[in-house]
Structure formats: C-alpha cells, structure tokens
Amino acid sequence: MNYKQLAVDGIRWSSMTSMLSFSIGLIQIAIIARYLSPDEIGIISLVTVIIGTGRVFGDAGMSNAIIHFQDLNAQQINALYWINVIVAFFISSAIFFLALPIANLLSTADLAPFIRIMSFAIVLGSIGQQFYILLKRDFHFKEISLIDLAQRVVIFMSIIIMLVVWKMGILSVIYATVIGSIVYSIVSIMIGLKYFNLPNLIAVNFSNLKECLRFGGFQFMDRSVGYLSSNLDKLFIGRFFGTDVLGIYELATVLINRPISIINPMFNNVSFPLFSKMQHDLPRLNQWYIKKIAIISMISAAIYCGMYSIRYELVEFIYGEDWNMIASSLSVLFILGYFKSVSNPMGTYVLALGRPDISLYFKLYQICIHISLLVIGVLFYDYMTTITIYVAGAIIFTIPPEYYMRYYLSKMPVSPLFFKIIKHFFLAMIMVILIYFSRHLFTQYNLNNTVYMLILISLGVLFYGLINLILNQKLLKELLSLIRR
C-alpha cells in the first residue's frame, strides 16, 4: 500500500474542505456577532458545551474502535452500530429531562429550553455516524469532504435564513445545529451505501466484541474527560463572571480555534487510519509523526503569532467595532492556541497504538490541573488575570508530560520534537517584531482598517517566508512540495 500517496490524497481533500469550512465559519460567526448580544452568545456557548459532552458520551468510544481494529466482520460492525445508536438515544433523553437541573447548576435558567432542543442533535447524528467512520477507515477522503461540506453549508444557510431574515435570535443557531445533524446522517448514509450495507438487527454478533468494548470504554472515558477538560474554562467563566463575559471569551476562542479546525483536520483525518496501519512499525510511525508535527508547528506558529500582531484590526474586521475586550483576550490566548495546535495530533497517535488507557490517565491529570488553575482564578482574580493563569499553568504543567508519554509509548525521541516546536515559535516571533516596526511606515496614512490589515498580513507572509528560507529551508521545501502534490 502506498502510504505516501494515501496521505497526499487525504491531505488534499481535507485541506480543501477545511479552507472552505473556515471561510464559511468565519462569515457565520461574524454575522452572529452582529445580530446577537454577548449574553446571548454566552448562552449558546454553554449549550454547545453541554451538548458536545453528550455527543462524546453518545459515541461511547465505538467510532475509533472501528478504525483501530482493522479486521472486524459485518456482524461485529452491526453490533457496534446498534450500541452506538442506543447509547446516543439514552444520553439524548437524559439531557432532555435533566435540562432544568443543569441550567440551575450553571445559574442560567434560560438555558433549559435550548438544551432540550439541542439534545435531539445527539441521537439524530448517531444514525449516520458509523457510515462516516467506515468511510474514514477505508480512506474515502473525497466522500468525507462532501459530507462535511454539506453539513457546514446547510447550517450556514439555516442561520442566515432564521437569524438575518426571520429574526429568530438564539433559536436560529439552536435549530440550525439540529438541522445540521439531520443532514450529516442523511448524506453519510446516502454516500456510505455505495460501499457498505445497511446495519441489520438480525445479523448481530455481540460475542466477539470484548477487545472493541474495552478499547471503546477507555476511549469513551478519555474523550469525555478530554472534552470536559478543554471546555472547563467556559463553564467556570460563565458561572462566575456571567454569560456576557463568556460571550466575549467565546468570540475570542472561536478565533483561536479556527486555525486548529483548518490545519489539524488536514492531517488528523488522514493520520489516524494511516497510523493504525503502521502501529506495528514504531520507528516508521515516529518518523511520520515528527514530520507531521514539524509541518503543523511551522504553519501554526505563523498563524497564531500573526494573529497576535493584528489582533485589534482582525477583531474590528470580523466582529465590528467596540469589541476591544476580545482583542485583549487574544493577546493572552494566542500562545495557548499554538500549543493546542501542536498537541492536538497526540490523540490520533495514542489511539493508533491502541493505548486509550494511557491517554485517559493523562487527561485525568490534565483536568485536575485545569480545575485547580480555574478555581484559583475565579475565586481571587478578575477575568483577564484568570485566563492568564489558566493559559500559563496549562502550558507549564501539561506540555512536558506529553513528551514523556510519547517516549514511554514508542521511545519517540524528545529533543527533535521539542526543538522543532520551539524553533518555529521563535521564528514567528521574529516576524511579529518586524511587523511591529513596520507599522510606523503606515501611521502617516489614513488607511481603511481592512486595507491596513491586509498590508500587515502581506508583510507578515513575506517576513516569515524569508525567515524560513534562510533558517528553515529544508522543511519549507518539503511543505511546498506537499502543497504542489
């Protein structure tokens, strides 16, 4: 099997999808910011976290088990399908009936009706999920891209119609999410039926699923703890500083997470099934992983440091005026975004090795660190100090153990990976300094904000390209070669 060609094809389709999704998503959040208040955006953020947690529970870890175990027969796949749908139904029902207690716990009673509506998205999405996973397992990246784009476009159009035309407020985003889940399942099934059979309740075999259920159980716990850990900040900020401040934080984190949602899926959608094929060839797997991280860190460093350089212009361009608090939040969050981007592929690496238990133990450690940092922040400090403590502590206390975990699992050398990540960050900071001094060349002109931002972006691309051409020539050539292919 030509792994390099599979990787190139997968990255090509994933990159096109990610870029289109990024563009649509950016327009979508810009529209939402202009039609909803910070308080309303904060409410949507809390509802999304709750439903996202439910989706993780509803999956029950079965999706990644299908990719990791390459030799499952039709009866076992049928059994996993019905387990997934049944668990999703019960999770969806539980969230529906517990909506009010959840809202009261977060001191936001207005959440309850929105939680109930969004709970349907969990079970509706589970109906087509296995087809999506099977397509990913068998490297049908073109079909995966079509499903992702169909869902994204339908959600976007639904929000435009309901928010802008019908003036439905928060409900437009809530209903659009449910509609998106329906489209995801319908398109996944329609495309999946070209390659796979419909699940059959008669042809089900639960007897040989011990390893799958064990893997899925650890994966379920790992994803649950991981998702909660990565969204604790929103729960704490919403609970202690209010949904209006959470709305500001949500809009800032949307900008921070957008690059991750573009760059990482290009590689992660490909690397998990690809790494699963290599799970018994550790030196080769490590070589591919280090090269992958090197490319991701090179791109991410430029994006996040560039975002820091133009944060005020960027916020005004996307969200409009009077959102300076978002720019202030970005000045702290950009470095966390960079380290999240280079740490994100860790999940696919651990799963490909079949060790979700190790990942779970790390996530439990991580959530303890995050809770401690957030409790200190919300009890003793204001919003900006809280997120500063959270970002600094998360980097200091969780990044080093990740390196040890890689070494423990596959003897992956630490220094090459670490120095690549730090090197690219410092190269990008040189770009930031050059952009800062270049600003003085344009202050005498009364430039439009958009024009000024585009000039700064162009200068940043030029500076970073020249810096890498001088100090990072080999990797730059590999990236350009990958883009050409």
Side-chain angles (χ1 to χ4, degrees):
M1 183 176 290
N2 189 340
Y3 290 140
K4 179 174 282 191
Q5 189 57 48
L6 284 173
V8 170
D9 289 343
I11 291 171
R12 182 183 65 200
W13 282 106
S14 295
S15 61
M16 287 191 292
T17 305
S18 297
M19 290 302 295
L20 287 170
S21 296
F22 171 77
S23 303
I24 294 170
L26 207 59
I27 298 170
Q28 179 177 304
I29 194 63
I31 292 170
I32 289 173
R34 285 165 171 77
Y35 280 84
L36 298 180
S37 67
D39 181 64
E40 291 172 318
I41 294 171
I43 290 173
I44 291 172
S45 178
L46 288 176
V47 174
T48 303
V49 171
I50 294 163
I51 299 304
T53 305
R55 280 178 168 150
V56 173
F57 275 78
D59 177 73
M62 294 299 105
S63 296
N64 287 330
I66 292 172
I67 296 178
H68 176 71
F69 294 99
Q70 299 278 310
D71 55 351
L72 296 176
N73 59 42
Q75 291 180 325
Q76 291 171 317
I77 290 175
N78 281 340
L80 292 174
Y81 177 86
W82 293 111
I83 290 173
N84 193 358
V85 171
I86 291 168
V87 171
F89 173 77
F90 280 110
I91 295 297
S92 181
S93 301
I95 291 177
F96 182 90
F97 290 111
L98 293 173
L100 188 56
I102 293 171
N104 289 334
L105 180 65
L106 295 170
S107 299
T108 313
D110 294 342
L111 283 177
F114 304 128
I115 292 173
R116 290 194 182 102
I117 297 170
M118 281 271 274
S119 66
F120 290 101
I122 298 171
V123 67
L124 291 170
S126 71
I127 296 171
Q129 184 168 335
Q130 191 182 86
F131 288 97
Y132 184 90
I133 296 301
L134 289 170
L135 289 167
K136 182 183 288 188
R137 183 198 65 179
D138 294 347
F139 301 99
H140 295 294
F141 297 115
K142 177 182 178 181
E143 288 79 359
I144 289 290
S145 298
L146 292 174
I147 295 168
D148 290 338
L149 280 177
Q151 183 183 26
R152 169 62 71 182
V153 169
V154 168
I155 290 175
F156 175 73
M157 294 305 300
S158 299
I159 288 176
I160 294 294
I161 293 169
M162 289 187 281
L163 180 61
V164 178
V165 181
W166 295 347
K167 313 293 184 185
M168 292 175 61
I170 296 179
L171 282 174
S172 60
V173 182
I174 302 297
Y175 285 138
T177 304
V178 177
I179 293 169
S181 295
I182 296 171
V183 170
Y184 167 83
S185 284
I186 291 174
V187 179
S188 295
I189 292 171
M190 289 173 61
I191 294 177
L193 285 176
K194 294 194 301 183
Y195 305 98
F196 314 107
N197 296 321
L198 275 170
N200 190 339
L201 262 176
I202 299 174
V204 170
N205 182 3
F206 291 98
S207 61
N208 297 319
L209 292 177
K210 182 179 178 181
E211 286 302 312
C212 284
L213 293 175
R214 180 183 178 278
F215 181 94
F218 275 111
Q219 168 66 162
F220 158 68
M221 294 170 67
D222 171 55
R223 290 186 63 194
S224 301
V225 174
Y227 184 83
L228 184 60
S229 175
S230 62
N231 288 280
L232 274 174
D233 48 351
K234 296 178 183 178
L235 296 176
F236 272 83
I237 289 171
R239 174 66 177 79
F240 290 93
F241 296 120
T243 51
D244 53 341
V245 176
L246 176 59
I248 299 290
Y249 184 74
E250 174 67 19
L251 292 176
T253 54
V254 163
L255 292 179
I256 291 298
N257 290 328
R258 283 298 167 192
I260 299 175
S261 70
I262 302 174
I263 301 166
N264 292 77
M266 293 182 194
F267 297 92
N268 288 348
N269 288 342
V270 180
S271 59
F272 182 30
L274 197 61
F275 287 172
S276 293
K277 299 283 187 185
M278 301 179 187
Q279 58 187 286
H280 302 298
D281 187 356
L282 294 182
R284 189 181 188 191
L285 175 59
N286 288 341
Q287 182 184 4
W288 277 67
Y289 184 86
I290 291 173
K291 182 174 289 188
K292 168 186 170 181
I293 294 299
I295 293 174
I296 289 176
S297 65
M298 182 184 185
I299 300 170
S300 296
I303 291 174
Y304 282 107
C305 292
M307 186 182 294
Y308 171 79
S309 298
I310 60 166
R311 58 194 181 280
Y312 290 101
E313 292 82 9
L314 181 65
V315 168
E316 183 178 337
F317 174 73
I318 296 175
Y319 298 135
E321 298 178 355
D322 303 324
W323 289 102
N324 284 341
M325 197 172 176
I326 298 177
S328 300
S329 301
L330 285 177
S331 65
V332 177
L333 293 171
F334 86 98
I335 190 169
L336 180 62
Y338 173 65
F339 280 102
K340 282 175 67 175
S341 180
V342 296
S343 297
N344 179 269
M346 183 69 189
T348 60
Y349 173 77
V350 174
L351 289 177
L353 292 174
R355 295 302 305 270
D357 54 328
I358 297 295
S359 182
L360 172 60
Y361 301 146
F362 176 75
K363 294 287 175 55
L364 289 170
Y365 163 76
Q366 191 177 49
I367 199 171
C368 291
I369 294 296
H370 288 179
I371 289 174
S372 301
L373 295 169
L374 289 166
V375 166
I376 292 170
V378 299
L379 291 183
F380 302 105
Y381 300 101
D382 59 10
Y383 161 70
M384 284 302 300
T385 307
T386 295
I387 64 171
T388 303
I389 291 171
Y390 173 67
V391 169
I395 293 171
I396 293 169
F397 292 111
T398 63
I399 299 299
E402 281 192 3
Y403 289 95
Y404 172 75
M405 183 162 60
R406 294 185 189 98
Y407 179 78
Y408 172 78
L409 286 170
S410 64
K411 300 297 186 232
M412 181 183 292
V414 171
S415 55
L417 197 59
F418 175 76
F419 284 115
K420 286 181 189 298
I421 292 171
I422 297 301
K423 174 185 177 180
H424 292 144
F425 182 75
F426 278 106
L427 292 181
M429 288 307 296
I430 295 173
M431 175 194 70
V432 170
I433 294 169
L434 292 174
I435 292 175
Y436 174 77
F437 285 110
S438 299
R439 283 176 173 271
H440 299 296
L441 299 175
F442 303 98
T443 51
Q444 57 184 313
Y445 305 106
N446 188 21
L447 295 174
N448 174 273
N449 177 73
T450 303
V451 174
Y452 187 41
M453 185 184 71
L454 290 175
I455 290 172
L456 294 178
I457 291 173
S458 301
L459 287 173
V461 171
L462 176 63
F463 291 148
Y464 194 67
L466 290 174
I467 291 167
N468 278 279
L469 192 60
I470 297 169
L471 302 174
N472 202 20
Q473 194 174 108
K474 183 179 178 182
L475 186 60
L476 183 62
K477 286 181 178 178
E478 286 187 16
L479 177 60
L480 293 175
S481 175
L482 180 64
I483 292 171
R484 281 197 299 270
R485 287 202 296 267

